[in-house]
Amino acid sequence: MFLVIFLYIAFLAFIGFSLKKAYDFAKMPMHGRWELYPVPKEKGRGEYGGSYLEETKWYEKPRETSLVAEIIDMAKEIIFIKKLFDNQRPFWWLSYSMHLGIYAMIAWLVLLFLAVFIDSSLLNGLIALAGGAGIIMVMIGSIGLLIKRMVNPEFKMYTTGLEYFNLFFLFAVAFTGFLCFITDPMFQYGHDMMGSMLTFFPFAPSALVTLHLVLAGAVIIYIPLTKMSHYVGKFFSFHKVLWDNDPYLPGNEIAEKVAAGKSYKQKGQWSAPHYPGNQKIEN
């Protein structure tokens, strides 16, 4: 029963910490505006990098934007990691393997939930497929990225110890899951775990399954506290930073945010020479 309670705590912590991070991002002051194009929400102009600024007296005309185009472009990034594919193709294969494996594991959990209520051999087959493929893809992606960052001089230069640990942590979870998969390819332990979580009826996992589920629960708690929580920041990075080209006009919402930003007091201290208070006094 301890394991079931721990998994509940892990999932609730994941949701709670993720929401807290989203709230913190939403409360941040306005970013430095980039004015970079293409911006997909520019209706009829996003494809070629145009914008409302092409119009004469644009400030007197109603602005046309497309939320659908923005969602489609963001979905390409979330599902396929498109920008990494376009700009870092050799790096994309490993990164996408790991992310696609995580998506498969989420699907595995959903299918396990459905299997509690639906007795179907097709559903059980999909559970085995999603779980097996997800574990293997996460394992290959995480260990591949870890090795690449250790041996590639360009990546090694800016990879921190914490990032090595994050990848190793993911690999450890996937590797123990792979060992469980070898001994239980139809994921009977997954069915037992989900049934126990929904009924609070204790189940008796093996030592290997217990180790895997404890590691999996720990990484679920850990992810939203680290840089791996970029699934939260992606919306803000795109919608509120890259694609925020709303006009800056006297008295409008952007003008109010700029005025509020001017009164913002920096917190903490950076070591950069341009940071206020770090300039050397020339004699």
Side-chain angles (χ1 to χ4, degrees):
M1 186 53 72
F2 165 78
L3 195 54
V4 171
I5 295 172
F6 172 67
L7 291 173
Y8 262 112
I9 292 173
F11 286 120
L12 291 174
F14 179 85
I15 294 170
F17 289 143
S18 298
L19 290 175
K20 174 66 168 53
K21 183 148 287 189
Y23 176 78
D24 290 342
F25 282 146
K27 296 291 287 183
M28 282 185 174
M30 188 178 184
H31 62 89
R33 309 201 74 194
W34 291 19
E35 300 290 349
L36 295 177
Y37 291 87
V39 173
K41 70 180 178 183
E42 287 290 340
K43 193 171 184 179
R45 299 188 175 99
E47 293 80 7
Y48 65 88
S51 79
Y52 63 94
L53 297 173
E54 296 173 40
E55 298 283 338
T56 56
K57 294 188 177 182
W58 53 265
Y59 43 85
E60 295 179 352
K61 300 174 182 177
R63 189 173 168 219
E64 292 188 342
T65 59
S66 171
L67 179 62
V68 173
E70 187 172 332
I71 291 173
I72 290 174
D73 213 86
M74 197 176 291
K76 290 178 183 175
E77 182 61 25
I78 293 171
I79 298 173
F80 301 110
I81 321 180
K82 182 176 178 295
K83 292 193 182 305
L84 192 64
F85 181 80
D86 292 338
N87 301 302
Q88 280 278 4
R89 191 73 55 87
F91 197 46
W92 178 84
W93 293 101
L94 291 172
S95 180
Y96 191 57
S97 170
M98 187 177 74
H99 284 84
L100 191 60
I102 292 172
Y103 297 157
M105 294 311 299
I106 294 171
W108 178 74
L109 284 172
V110 173
L111 292 170
L112 282 174
F113 176 80
L114 294 176
V116 174
F117 306 99
I118 304 171
D119 184 14
S120 164
S121 57
L122 174 62
L123 192 56
N124 291 335
L126 290 174
I127 289 170
L129 179 64
I135 285 171
I136 291 172
M137 285 191 288
V138 173
M139 191 169 62
I140 292 174
S142 57
I143 194 64
L145 289 173
L146 180 62
I147 294 172
K148 194 173 183 71
R149 286 184 175 277
M150 291 174 70
V151 302
N152 186 305
E154 186 180 351
F155 292 141
K156 188 177 179 180
M157 184 170 55
Y158 60 80
T159 301
T160 65
L162 186 59
E163 286 165 330
Y164 288 125
F165 173 77
N166 292 344
L167 288 169
F168 179 77
F169 199 177
L170 289 175
F171 172 73
V173 175
F175 181 68
T176 53
F178 179 69
L179 295 178
C180 295
F181 172 59
I182 291 174
T183 55
D184 181 7
M186 293 306 291
F187 291 101
Q188 185 55 48
Y189 80 84
H191 289 272
D192 295 341
M193 176 198 71
M194 185 59 72
S196 183
M197 289 188 71
L198 294 180
T199 62
F200 284 98
F201 189 81
F203 75 114
S206 65
L208 179 60
V209 169
T210 301
L211 173 63
H212 170 59
L213 293 180
V214 168
L215 287 174
V219 86
I220 289 171
I221 297 172
Y222 179 68
I223 283 175
L225 303 175
T226 70
K227 290 173 64 175
M228 293 188 287
S229 63
H230 54 262
Y231 57 89
V232 178
K234 190 147 282 189
F235 167 79
F236 295 96
S237 299
F238 282 72
H239 182 72
K240 289 295 186 182
V241 179
L242 273 176
W243 299 339
D244 183 9
N245 68 334
D246 291 342
Y248 178 16
L249 295 171
N252 73 353
E253 184 183 0
I254 298 299
E256 291 175 2
K257 289 182 178 178
V258 171
K262 289 179 179 177
S263 63
Y264 178 70
K265 304 295 183 185
Q266 69 271 18
K267 298 177 181 177
Q269 185 68 32
W270 289 2
S271 60
H274 67 276
Y275 197 76
N278 289 351
Q279 290 78 21
K280 293 181 180 178
I281 299 174
E282 300 282 344
N283 291 325

